[in-house]
Amino acid sequence: MKKQNRVRAVDFARGFSVLMMIPVHVLMLFATMDTWENSITGNFVQLLERGSPIFLIVMGISFAFSRNANKNGILKKALLIIGLGYVLNFLRFIVPLLLFGGFPEAFVQASELSINNPARMLNYFLKGDMFQLVGISLFIIGLAFKFLIKNKHITLVATLVIMWLSKVVSGFQLGIPGVDYVLNLLWGNNFDVYFPLFPWLSFILIGLYLGLNYLENQDNPEKSLFRPMLILGIVFLISGKLLCDYDYQYHFGDYYHLGPGGTMRLMGILLVFFWVYYHIERLLPKDNYISKLFFYCSKNVTPFYLIQWVLIYWTLAFTNFSAYNEITVLIIILGINVGTFTVLHFVNKMLASRKNRELKTVQPGI
């Protein structure tokens, strides 16, 4: 398998996970409990929800391919992504309060988020979500990157340590404002942070380990990347299942704040599915429309994630919370998809136009 196909397989998996974000997020906010639990769409989306973190593994793999990256560049990118997290929180939580008259009453009752509650507005602005996880993870890995790429097995050990410490440190704080906020981003056990570093950083690290393993034998990715991926996936899946059966409350807890067993089980599932994605992509024609769509989503993962969340919450401001049946939810999913791809198209077009103007300014003779 050529290098191009290796990149295709990785981007194929990431693009699929990115595209599945919209159905998951729409059902979380718009579907009735009956739609979520008893409809075909609801049951399917519950499966998709478990698979969305696969792009964290892809992030780790891609990071290995950037082994010659400049440390300062990595750290600057990490800070930019962290900053984007708070820009996103402002756009999706605060702007509807300031410009659209707030959210529907059902959502206000569930979240207490309203213009009359400044403390809650600040709380939502500071929410820890995917951008914070990715940015802080990138910053930490960037600090130790040169060491990690020379000691790939340390990366695997770090993956296991973070898994096993996830419940040990979960919720630990010092009672110091500001410091406790940072600690909450690291290992919080409440919904002020949806993706704490413990255990979610382990998904990025296992990807980094696999990516480094691949770089040792780039001529045979089946042997160096995807076979180890399948073996680790099966081991983690079985081990995690046994641990969750032994003590579900400790080892699983809840999806966003997993214990070691739950982390292992989910990681095992994702690695096995990643291996399946690899074989599916190999069977597809080279220029098929499905792959092109996934690659486009993969290439635009950051703006796609930001735009879809903003459109979803801005739509919520003019509709209702947890109130719609399966057909209506499917219509909302379609609308958010159309809106996201439309906005993304114009954003990319605008950025390309600006880049061309800058090139003409630098090289006026062209």
Side-chain angles (χ1 to χ4, degrees):
M1 181 173 155
K2 297 180 181 179
K3 184 178 179 181
Q4 181 184 5
N5 290 334
R6 184 271 305 165
V7 174
R8 288 172 63 90
V10 172
D11 285 342
F12 186 86
R14 175 165 51 191
F16 177 80
S17 68
V18 170
L19 194 59
M20 294 304 105
M21 289 178 183
I22 290 177
V24 172
H25 295 157
V26 166
L27 260 78
M28 288 170 58
L29 289 173
F30 293 95
T32 63
M33 189 58 65
D34 181 65
T35 302
W36 179 258
E37 293 183 347
N38 299 316
S39 69
I40 295 174
T41 301
N43 291 330
F44 179 63
V45 168
Q46 287 182 56
L47 292 176
L48 294 180
E49 182 184 22
R50 299 297 185 261
S52 55
I54 199 169
F55 84 90
L56 295 175
I57 299 175
V58 174
M59 174 186 167
I61 295 174
S62 300
F63 205 46
F65 302 154
S66 306
R67 60 188 306 165
N68 295 321
N70 178 271
K71 177 181 176 181
N72 290 335
I74 294 173
L75 298 181
K76 288 179 181 179
K77 182 178 181 180
L79 294 175
L80 174 62
I81 293 173
I82 294 171
L84 277 177
Y86 297 102
V87 171
L88 173 58
N89 286 348
F90 181 81
L91 290 173
R92 62 176 170 170
F93 297 135
I94 309 303
V95 166
L97 298 179
L98 299 177
L99 300 182
F100 306 148
F103 292 105
E105 184 61 27
F107 184 77
V108 174
Q109 291 179 1
S111 66
E112 300 180 359
L113 180 60
S114 72
I115 195 70
N116 298 319
N117 193 339
R120 202 62 178 157
M121 290 174 64
L122 178 61
N123 175 268
Y124 268 78
F125 174 72
L126 295 175
K127 286 279 186 186
D129 208 335
M130 190 59 70
F131 275 144
Q132 284 83 355
L133 165 66
V134 170
I136 297 172
S137 298
L138 187 61
F139 191 89
I140 292 173
I141 294 175
L143 291 174
F145 189 50
K146 295 301 182 182
F147 173 77
L148 291 175
I149 62 176
K150 296 177 182 178
N151 301 273
K152 70 171 185 177
H153 294 296
I154 297 297
T155 306
L156 182 58
V157 171
T159 300
L160 297 172
V161 168
I162 290 173
M163 281 184 187
W164 283 100
L165 287 180
S166 59
K167 278 296 183 182
V168 176
V169 299
S170 181
F172 174 76
Q173 295 192 333
L174 297 174
I176 304 173
V179 174
D180 283 347
Y181 173 74
V182 175
L183 295 180
N184 207 36
L185 293 176
L186 296 179
W187 46 61
N189 61 356
N190 55 54
F191 286 97
D192 288 336
V193 55
Y194 285 97
F195 295 98
L197 261 70
F198 287 69
W200 293 100
L201 175 56
S202 62
F203 290 82
I204 299 174
L205 289 175
I206 197 65
L208 178 58
Y209 169 78
L210 290 167
L212 293 173
N213 200 67
Y214 161 76
L215 291 179
E216 295 178 356
N217 186 5
Q218 299 184 48
D219 294 330
N220 191 352
E222 171 71 34
K223 180 180 179 180
S224 61
L225 178 58
F226 294 104
R227 190 180 304 166
M229 181 183 292
L230 178 62
I231 293 171
L232 285 172
I234 293 172
V235 171
F236 284 147
L237 177 56
I238 294 174
S239 301
K241 175 66 166 59
L242 292 174
L243 289 170
C244 289
D245 288 345
Y246 174 73
D247 189 341
Y248 184 85
Q249 188 58 41
Y250 180 84
H251 282 284
F252 191 91
D254 72 76
Y255 173 74
Y256 295 101
H257 309 90
L258 295 167
T263 304
M264 282 189 181
R265 188 173 75 170
L266 179 59
M267 185 179 292
I269 292 171
L270 295 180
L271 290 173
V272 171
F273 271 112
F274 204 143
W275 180 83
V276 172
Y277 292 152
Y278 159 63
H279 286 284
I280 291 175
E281 201 283 326
R282 292 180 68 189
L283 295 174
L284 293 174
K286 184 177 179 180
D287 294 322
N288 69 89
Y289 289 108
I290 294 176
S291 293
K292 286 182 178 179
L293 175 62
F294 289 176
F295 298 156
Y296 179 80
C297 293
S298 177
K299 180 181 178 181
N300 294 279
V301 56
T302 300
F304 190 101
Y305 184 84
L306 193 151
I307 293 167
Q308 58 91 32
W309 260 135
V310 171
L311 291 182
I312 286 171
Y313 271 94
W314 287 11
T315 300
L316 179 64
F318 297 98
T319 52
N320 209 343
F321 172 66
S322 191
Y324 299 105
N325 60 25
E326 184 174 17
I327 298 300
T328 305
V329 164
L330 288 172
I331 293 172
I332 296 173
I333 290 173
L334 177 61
I336 297 296
N337 269 288
V338 171
T340 299
F341 280 103
T342 301
V343 173
L344 186 58
H345 170 75
F346 283 110
V347 168
N348 285 336
K349 190 174 182 180
M350 180 183 67
L351 292 176
S353 177
R354 187 173 71 176
K355 185 176 181 180
N356 288 335
R357 288 198 302 270
E358 290 174 351
L359 287 174
K360 289 181 181 179
T361 301
V362 175
Q363 299 176 340
I366 295 179

